[in-house]
Amino acid sequence: MSRIRQFFLHAIIWLVLLLFFVFISSRSGSVSEALVIFVYFGFCNIAIFYINYLYLLPRYLNSREYLACAASIIGLILVSGLLKYGLANVFSDTILVRGQTSGAIGFRDYYIASVFTSTFFVFTSTALKFSTDWFVNEKVKRSLEKEKLAAELAFLKSQINPHFLFNSLNNIYSLAYQRSDKTPEAVLKLSEIMRYMLQESNEVRVDLARELRYLDNYIELQKLRFKNDAYVNLSVEGDDHDKKIAPLILIAFVENAFKHGVASDPQHPIEIHIKITSDRLNFSVINRKNSHNKDLTSGIGLNNVKRRLDLLYPDRYYLNITDREVTYCTELSLVL
């Protein structure tokens, strides 16, 4: 809340409270007496409130001088009682009276009552200060968490592009080395993929249809590398219209299947199944493991996507990876 808005809010609250007090007082006496009490009680107690709220608490609590803070508050309460009694003597006929027949109020009784009143306003200002600081600190904390999350996601996403580009360029190099006629088509596919990664996937969520198109382009690029001897069964069930997903989430699992699996066996093709419901995406990849692949690690790809899932879909996804002797299976269920 801005200082101007905070000032007007405080002013309105005080005005409403004091006018209400004047209204109550004027019902049992004259309006002039009510105004005297309004000015006297109003300015005295408002001053006590803001001396504590704006000066004492920030001055001592921020520097962690707790004993000095307590001593200053007690001093404020005690001194304010004396000042109130001095001001009350100026309007003694209005303030220092018990009633028409009960006589005047003595110093002791008035001072004790003033101390209790001052304590109430000090307590109120302290409670407001602590609650305001708590909300401000929570807001700052949430802001810092969002900034940290955005920075971490940006870092994770920055890892995806070089990682994917490195693998794809290796694939195209293999085609070029073999003087394959498919090399231009592979370069074109890679160009389309990189355009999506660099331009269209900068949002937190993208259209699911675009993400699936990107996945399909990647599979086609892999087929070119295998001279169309890559066997992949890709099935998509359900309506992807008006569905959103975090970009570049699914690709790591498919890329892992091509990198560590067998894609050239027509008897055991890579199985990729996608089922879309109203609020959920079920995704699975099953591939036969390549016994000649000495790289047994999944690289940064899977670790990266696991971390992104934790950040973008906390408590809204289920990931199960089954590493059997012959096959490798990944199942992902995601709340869209």
Side-chain angles (χ1 to χ4, degrees):
M1 182 184 297
S2 67
R3 291 189 177 274
I4 296 178
R5 291 180 60 188
Q6 189 176 22
F7 171 79
F8 279 108
L9 179 61
H10 282 226
I12 291 172
I13 293 174
W14 283 117
L15 184 61
V16 170
L17 289 175
L18 293 176
L19 287 176
F20 176 75
F21 182 76
V22 169
F23 172 74
I24 295 298
S25 301
S26 63
R27 297 182 64 182
S28 58
S30 67
V31 176
S32 60
E33 291 180 355
L35 289 176
V36 169
I37 296 174
F38 168 85
V39 173
Y40 170 71
F41 279 105
F43 282 100
C44 287
N45 292 317
I46 289 174
I48 293 169
F49 182 96
Y50 284 109
I51 288 173
N52 184 54
Y53 182 74
L54 297 177
Y55 177 72
L56 295 182
L57 292 177
R59 164 67 178 81
Y60 293 107
L61 290 184
N62 291 343
S63 58
R64 300 181 184 275
E65 299 177 50
Y66 302 120
L67 290 177
C69 182
S72 299
I73 290 175
I74 294 173
L76 173 64
I77 293 172
L78 297 178
V79 171
S80 66
L82 296 175
L83 293 175
K84 281 184 179 181
Y85 183 76
L87 291 173
N89 277 286
V90 179
F91 305 100
S92 59
D93 294 339
T94 302
I95 299 174
L96 296 177
V97 292
R98 300 180 186 275
Q100 296 180 351
T101 59
S102 301
I105 301 176
F107 169 77
R108 179 176 176 275
D109 292 339
Y110 184 83
Y111 185 76
I112 292 175
S114 296
V115 166
F116 276 109
T117 304
S118 299
T119 301
F120 170 78
F121 283 95
V122 166
F123 174 80
T124 304
S125 61
T126 302
L128 178 63
K129 178 64 176 176
F130 275 97
S131 60
T132 302
D133 287 352
W134 184 84
F135 280 112
V136 170
N137 291 335
E138 282 297 306
K139 184 177 180 180
V140 171
K141 182 180 177 181
R142 288 194 297 269
S143 178
L144 291 175
E145 287 176 349
K146 287 182 180 179
E147 291 178 4
K148 180 182 177 182
L149 173 63
E152 187 170 357
L153 286 173
F155 172 72
L156 290 172
K157 193 173 179 181
S158 70
Q159 287 183 307
I160 295 174
N161 294 352
H163 180 235
F164 173 80
L165 182 61
F166 174 78
N167 290 337
S168 298
L169 287 176
N170 273 344
N171 297 341
I172 294 176
Y173 171 79
S174 177
L175 290 175
Y177 182 80
Q178 298 170 12
R179 301 182 183 276
S180 171
D181 295 336
K182 300 295 184 179
T183 303
E185 186 179 353
V187 172
L188 182 60
K189 287 289 184 184
L190 179 60
S191 174
E192 293 178 359
I193 290 172
M194 294 305 298
R195 183 180 298 111
Y196 173 79
M197 295 176 70
L198 297 176
Q199 297 179 3
E200 301 181 32
S201 64
N202 292 324
E203 302 295 328
V204 178
R205 298 286 190 274
V206 297
D207 290 336
L208 178 58
R210 290 185 177 183
E211 184 73 6
L212 295 182
R213 173 62 181 167
Y214 162 71
L215 203 65
D216 187 64
N217 279 337
Y218 175 82
I219 294 172
E220 292 301 316
L221 183 62
Q222 291 297 326
K223 288 181 178 180
L224 290 175
R225 178 172 73 95
F226 283 91
K227 299 180 181 181
N228 290 325
D229 287 334
Y231 297 93
V232 181
N233 290 336
L234 172 63
S235 66
V236 179
E237 179 184 347
D239 184 12
D240 59 16
H241 183 66
D242 289 335
K243 302 291 193 306
K244 297 286 186 179
I245 190 173
L248 310 177
I249 285 291
L250 307 178
I251 184 62
F253 303 110
V254 177
E255 185 178 12
N256 190 66
F258 277 101
K259 183 179 179 181
H260 301 284
V262 177
S264 58
D265 185 356
Q267 301 299 321
H268 301 92
I270 297 175
E271 300 281 351
I272 304 173
H273 302 292
I274 300 172
K275 183 177 181 180
I276 307 166
T277 61
S278 59
D279 63 344
R280 187 176 292 273
L281 172 74
N282 294 316
F283 172 80
S284 67
V285 180
I286 304 173
N287 63 272
R288 188 176 180 87
K289 294 170 65 174
N290 190 342
S291 59
H292 300 292
N293 192 339
K294 296 182 180 180
D295 182 6
L296 299 179
T297 65
S298 60
I300 67 171
L302 290 185
N303 292 331
N304 188 316
V305 76
K306 288 176 184 177
R307 181 57 182 157
R308 293 184 69 220
L309 284 169
D310 289 336
L311 294 172
L312 293 169
Y313 294 93
D315 301 321
R316 295 173 55 208
Y317 81 94
Y318 168 77
L319 177 63
N320 181 51
I321 297 178
T322 306
D323 189 358
R324 299 189 179 93
E325 183 178 355
V326 179
T327 61
Y328 191 89
C329 176
T330 301
E331 297 174 293
L332 173 66
S333 182
L334 197 67
V335 177
L336 297 174

